[in-house]
Amino acid sequence: MSGEARSSGPAMSPDMKALLVPAIDSRSSWRELFILPLAAMFLAMLIGALIMMATSVAPETILQSFIAMAHGSVGSIHAISETLTAAIPLVLAGLGIGLAFRAGLFNIGAEGQMVVGGLAAAIASFLVTGLSIWLHLPLVLLVGLAIGAVYAAIAGLLKAATGAHEVISTIMLNLISIRLLDYMLRQPFIQKEGRSDPISKAVLETAELPRILEFLDGNLRLHAGLFIMLAAVAVIYWLLFRSKLGFAFRISGENPGAARYAGIRAGLTIVMAMAIAGALAGLAGAIQVSGVLGRATPGFTAGIGFDAIAVALLGRSHPVGILLAGLLFGALEAGGRQMQVDAGVSIDMIGIMQALIIIFVAAPLLVRRIFPPLFRERPRGGEENG
Amino acid sequence: MDIELRGISKRFGPVQANQDINLEIRAGEVLGLLGENGAGKSTLMNILSGLYSADTGEILIDGSPAIFTGPGDSIANGIGMVHQHFMLVPVFSVVENVILGVEPTSGVDYLDLEAARAQVQEINTRYGMEVPTDALIEDLPVGIQQRVEILKVLFRSADVLILDEPTAVLTPQEVEEFFTIVRALRDAGKGIVFITHKLHEILEIADRVSVLRQGQIVGQGDPASFSEADLAEMMVGRPVSFSVGRAESTSGDTVLELAGVSLFDAAQDARLVDINLSVHGGEVVGIAGVQGNGQTELVEAITGLSAVTTGEIGFAGQDITRASVRQRHRMGVAHIPEDRHKSGMVGNFTVAENMVLNSYYDESVTSGVQIDWRRVHARAAAACLSYDVRTPSVFLGAGSLSGGNQQKMVVARELERDVRLIVASQPTRGVDVGSIEYIHRQLIACRDRGNAVLIISSELDEILDLSDRIYVMFEGRIAATFDNRGGGADRNAIGLAMAGVSQGTNPGAGRSGNRGSAA
């Protein structure tokens, strides 16, 4: 062991080299990140099958529905395109929620941030005219990002200045955003000409995210938001684990007392973390409007901001975990639609299974009990106090 | 009631927590169980209280084997444990806490509080505990809360009491009163297991002593037949020196100076009142006092965590009254915080991350807005080696280090850079003897390099061992100052000042009362 020997000077002694060997049991983090979610998914599918059996769905239909699910999510280029398209906003908003988590904040407001971000992006997409796609599209996305950031920062400011709990304030901001959306969609400068129902004008072509698989098949919806999502994963990873700001976030989230001790300003950290989380959700909203929907309509976010909370939980607030969790949820979404078509099983079943996965992931002890061999720990010592 | 443990062994994975332990607990006797953190004391007592079951060995109660499958069994057998961390409901009264779980009822679940109160009161007076039975727990001082824990086990008719590090939370005065109660219990025929790592307590209270090291009994017998040094050597496994052996101090320039500092909290209550104190380069100044007399606030004022209401703080000739935590940190103020878990470290972070907890933004470990982790890791590894932080790797989670190594990690972080002033608050709390010795040496070495060291501790021995000058705090004021060069301070007088009795100052200090700033 290292303790006995001393080293002096900057030269690398053997003791020092020994200390620099990673000690983290990579198997246990592998378990946390992959095996546990997979086991949870298996259990969720099992219970899903039981529910279907209880509602007298024939066994072969159940089998057929799972085959349809696999087929609809990864079985064809079209299925993969749909899976990825569904994953993009989930991952982006999930990254924001995960980042806020790491800073000790529970951002329930991704839905509302997506709404205001998407709405603002929609407005910018048809009110601003005469720009090339190289200017217009980035502008639209940046508007969505900025408005989402501002909207989330409100909750951050309220917490920093008055101690108002962010869970309460973000829930309220969600409600406001939904009503605000309906109200704004009836404003003459936003509402589509000749319509009396709330629906916005269409996004101009210069503000549309290009579809990236159009050369294969015109029906493939996957758009360039995929690259934005992948870049966001990398940026947030860098931010959390490489940057000074991310380190401050993580200290604040793990131990507020230590953050204070280290001279980190709590209020500023809260506002910054919320703003970044909101920026990601706002961007997700803008991407949905610009890349998929082509306009803003009531409820255009379709609860993605809430599903993203589950994605962040499932991904353990780790950017790579969130990417994988978002892909899984995207696959369930796409596969669920196929299941409804092929097997006639309602897509509600997918919602149930998604929720079950989260419950199992949130209760790791339960999963460990059910599958003990998958989680057999190599015994670890040194934590016993005498 | 006599209890005998025979051949008890318990293993957690690769760790042999207890190995073939034989122990006798006799009625009317105080058994001192001595051992460092991690020696296996808590495991052994958790086996006795039914929380764990032993891998091998047996427990005999009055000669007949007993099998415990849970805490309920040991309580039913008359064994009661008083934990180091109290398990009381703060908004309940003493009586309500005592009867919680074994409430006397009559009729259809009618809580007979009157009967309960009479019963509790009877135990209370029998052992001279003087606990106000109707007071709410949150209004009681820690020392009294501890007695409520004892009342709880007595109410459950315990004949054997296990006291786990009972004095860790008590002031010197409270310890004396506590010992009186322990003696009263013993004289009433109770068997008592007194767990501690403080040697002088064993010598004072125990009728027999057993020393645990690395899960094994390494010595037992009559405490009178051992000296403190013997016990320490048994406990640590090598000779330990108690006095740090500090040389004469060479007092230099004033490094820290507080002039008329007062601090009011949010409720406008005075936490610090007109504090004048100075710390010079090359000297250790100790702040003695019972916990909660303004020491925490004083440390926060000096390190920049709290803004002072009035007064000025000078550091190396500059006014830092309004400087931020980081500005002070950069100027060379090191801070070892009083509670490493609450603020000194992040258990879920690696050792390396903890090593830059409050300097991660410094140019020496960053490039632009990025942290240069390679440099952090190399620096952390070097600091671990030079400050004896025993960890297999700097990538290990700091939470899995022992208490002593966690504290050495904090000390390493604070001392490895260029500092002028070290503010060390409770620097050895919850730390094993070996690490205490090490940390003390490091603090003295820091002083000998010409730095100013301010030590705040509720352990008077620690203050007396290390300090060249001593200030005593009482109710937010400096109650007295003492000169301790050459160990001349009067322990008794300090104790009185801590209790707020006198404004005494020993003649050698050459200054009086509250004006302690002259060199």
PDB file of all heavy atoms in Angstrom, chain B residues 197-208:
ATOM      1  N   HIS B 197     -12.648   5.486  22.428  1.00  0.00           N
ATOM      2  CA  HIS B 197     -11.252   5.424  22.005  1.00  0.00           C
ATOM      3  C   HIS B 197     -10.417   6.392  22.838  1.00  0.00           C
ATOM      4  O   HIS B 197      -9.265   6.662  22.525  1.00  0.00           O
ATOM      5  CB  HIS B 197     -11.111   5.698  20.505  1.00  0.00           C
ATOM      6  CG  HIS B 197     -11.559   7.065  20.093  1.00  0.00           C
ATOM      7  ND1 HIS B 197     -12.831   7.326  19.663  1.00  0.00           N
ATOM      8  CD2 HIS B 197     -10.901   8.232  20.053  1.00  0.00           C
ATOM      9  CE1 HIS B 197     -12.943   8.603  19.385  1.00  0.00           C
ATOM     10  NE2 HIS B 197     -11.796   9.181  19.620  1.00  0.00           N
ATOM     11  N   LYS B 198     -11.053   6.930  23.901  1.00  0.00           N
ATOM     12  CA  LYS B 198     -10.324   7.861  24.762  1.00  0.00           C
ATOM     13  C   LYS B 198      -9.757   7.110  25.963  1.00  0.00           C
ATOM     14  O   LYS B 198     -10.493   6.566  26.780  1.00  0.00           O
ATOM     15  CB  LYS B 198     -11.251   8.979  25.213  1.00  0.00           C
ATOM     16  CG  LYS B 198     -11.672   9.869  24.059  1.00  0.00           C
ATOM     17  CD  LYS B 198     -12.570  10.986  24.534  1.00  0.00           C
ATOM     18  CE  LYS B 198     -13.126  11.743  23.336  1.00  0.00           C
ATOM     19  NZ  LYS B 198     -14.225  12.632  23.730  1.00  0.00           N
ATOM     20  N   LEU B 199      -8.438   7.131  26.069  1.00  0.00           N
ATOM     21  CA  LEU B 199      -7.767   6.311  27.069  1.00  0.00           C
ATOM     22  C   LEU B 199      -8.068   6.761  28.488  1.00  0.00           C
ATOM     23  O   LEU B 199      -8.322   5.947  29.368  1.00  0.00           O
ATOM     24  CB  LEU B 199      -6.257   6.381  26.824  1.00  0.00           C
ATOM     25  CG  LEU B 199      -5.851   6.043  25.400  1.00  0.00           C
ATOM     26  CD1 LEU B 199      -4.440   6.506  25.126  1.00  0.00           C
ATOM     27  CD2 LEU B 199      -5.962   4.550  25.197  1.00  0.00           C
ATOM     28  N   HIS B 200      -8.047   8.070  28.707  1.00  0.00           N
ATOM     29  CA  HIS B 200      -8.184   8.530  30.094  1.00  0.00           C
ATOM     30  C   HIS B 200      -9.566   8.208  30.645  1.00  0.00           C
ATOM     31  O   HIS B 200      -9.731   8.029  31.850  1.00  0.00           O
ATOM     32  CB  HIS B 200      -7.868  10.026  30.203  1.00  0.00           C
ATOM     33  CG  HIS B 200      -8.750  10.902  29.379  1.00  0.00           C
ATOM     34  ND1 HIS B 200      -9.889  11.468  29.880  1.00  0.00           N
ATOM     35  CD2 HIS B 200      -8.682  11.285  28.090  1.00  0.00           C
ATOM     36  CE1 HIS B 200     -10.474  12.176  28.936  1.00  0.00           C
ATOM     37  NE2 HIS B 200      -9.765  12.081  27.847  1.00  0.00           N
ATOM     38  N   GLU B 201     -10.562   8.090  29.749  1.00  0.00           N
ATOM     39  CA  GLU B 201     -11.894   7.723  30.212  1.00  0.00           C
ATOM     40  C   GLU B 201     -11.911   6.285  30.719  1.00  0.00           C
ATOM     41  O   GLU B 201     -12.541   5.968  31.721  1.00  0.00           O
ATOM     42  CB  GLU B 201     -12.909   7.880  29.081  1.00  0.00           C
ATOM     43  CG  GLU B 201     -13.142   9.332  28.731  1.00  0.00           C
ATOM     44  CD  GLU B 201     -14.113   9.508  27.594  1.00  0.00           C
ATOM     45  OE1 GLU B 201     -14.469   8.508  26.949  1.00  0.00           O
ATOM     46  OE2 GLU B 201     -14.496  10.661  27.346  1.00  0.00           O
ATOM     47  N   ILE B 202     -11.202   5.420  30.002  1.00  0.00           N
ATOM     48  CA  ILE B 202     -11.097   4.021  30.433  1.00  0.00           C
ATOM     49  C   ILE B 202     -10.472   3.962  31.815  1.00  0.00           C
ATOM     50  O   ILE B 202     -10.959   3.280  32.717  1.00  0.00           O
ATOM     51  CB  ILE B 202     -10.226   3.230  29.426  1.00  0.00           C
ATOM     52  CG1 ILE B 202     -10.944   3.107  28.090  1.00  0.00           C
ATOM     53  CG2 ILE B 202      -9.845   1.876  29.984  1.00  0.00           C
ATOM     54  CD1 ILE B 202     -12.096   2.148  28.087  1.00  0.00           C
ATOM     55  N   LEU B 203      -9.393   4.710  31.978  1.00  0.00           N
ATOM     56  CA  LEU B 203      -8.686   4.670  33.250  1.00  0.00           C
ATOM     57  C   LEU B 203      -9.573   5.199  34.369  1.00  0.00           C
ATOM     58  O   LEU B 203      -9.480   4.771  35.510  1.00  0.00           O
ATOM     59  CB  LEU B 203      -7.395   5.484  33.158  1.00  0.00           C
ATOM     60  CG  LEU B 203      -6.373   4.920  32.167  1.00  0.00           C
ATOM     61  CD1 LEU B 203      -5.184   5.839  32.015  1.00  0.00           C
ATOM     62  CD2 LEU B 203      -5.916   3.526  32.602  1.00  0.00           C
ATOM     63  N   GLU B 204     -10.455   6.152  34.027  1.00  0.00           N
ATOM     64  CA  GLU B 204     -11.258   6.766  35.072  1.00  0.00           C
ATOM     65  C   GLU B 204     -12.476   5.916  35.449  1.00  0.00           C
ATOM     66  O   GLU B 204     -12.817   5.807  36.613  1.00  0.00           O
ATOM     67  CB  GLU B 204     -11.721   8.154  34.596  1.00  0.00           C
ATOM     68  CG  GLU B 204     -12.503   8.889  35.681  1.00  0.00           C
ATOM     69  CD  GLU B 204     -12.774  10.334  35.347  1.00  0.00           C
ATOM     70  OE1 GLU B 204     -12.169  10.832  34.376  1.00  0.00           O
ATOM     71  OE2 GLU B 204     -13.592  10.947  36.037  1.00  0.00           O
ATOM     72  N   ILE B 205     -13.136   5.304  34.460  1.00  0.00           N
ATOM     73  CA  ILE B 205     -14.454   4.744  34.744  1.00  0.00           C
ATOM     74  C   ILE B 205     -14.500   3.217  34.710  1.00  0.00           C
ATOM     75  O   ILE B 205     -15.344   2.607  35.359  1.00  0.00           O
ATOM     76  CB  ILE B 205     -15.507   5.336  33.774  1.00  0.00           C
ATOM     77  CG1 ILE B 205     -16.952   5.001  34.200  1.00  0.00           C
ATOM     78  CG2 ILE B 205     -15.293   4.875  32.349  1.00  0.00           C
ATOM     79  CD1 ILE B 205     -17.512   5.975  35.169  1.00  0.00           C
ATOM     80  N   ALA B 206     -13.585   2.592  33.957  1.00  0.00           N
ATOM     81  CA  ALA B 206     -13.742   1.156  33.720  1.00  0.00           C
ATOM     82  C   ALA B 206     -13.213   0.322  34.883  1.00  0.00           C
ATOM     83  O   ALA B 206     -12.196   0.649  35.493  1.00  0.00           O
ATOM     84  CB  ALA B 206     -13.034   0.754  32.437  1.00  0.00           C
ATOM     85  N   ASP B 207     -13.930  -0.760  35.186  1.00  0.00           N
ATOM     86  CA  ASP B 207     -13.443  -1.729  36.170  1.00  0.00           C
ATOM     87  C   ASP B 207     -12.560  -2.779  35.507  1.00  0.00           C
ATOM     88  O   ASP B 207     -11.675  -3.354  36.125  1.00  0.00           O
ATOM     89  CB  ASP B 207     -14.624  -2.417  36.855  1.00  0.00           C
ATOM     90  CG  ASP B 207     -15.510  -1.403  37.550  1.00  0.00           C
ATOM     91  OD1 ASP B 207     -14.982  -0.580  38.319  1.00  0.00           O
ATOM     92  OD2 ASP B 207     -16.729  -1.405  37.291  1.00  0.00           O
ATOM     93  N   ARG B 208     -12.889  -3.044  34.245  1.00  0.00           N
ATOM     94  CA  ARG B 208     -12.054  -3.934  33.447  1.00  0.00           C
ATOM     95  C   ARG B 208     -11.958  -3.333  32.068  1.00  0.00           C
ATOM     96  O   ARG B 208     -12.843  -2.586  31.653  1.00  0.00           O
ATOM     97  CB  ARG B 208     -12.694  -5.327  33.339  1.00  0.00           C
ATOM     98  CG  ARG B 208     -12.230  -6.293  34.421  1.00  0.00           C
ATOM     99  CD  ARG B 208     -12.778  -7.675  34.185  1.00  0.00           C
ATOM    100  NE  ARG B 208     -14.180  -7.674  33.818  1.00  0.00           N
ATOM    101  CZ  ARG B 208     -14.660  -8.278  32.738  1.00  0.00           C
ATOM    102  NH1 ARG B 208     -13.853  -8.925  31.928  1.00  0.00           N
ATOM    103  NH2 ARG B 208     -15.951  -8.236  32.471  1.00  0.00           N
TER     104      ARG B 208
END
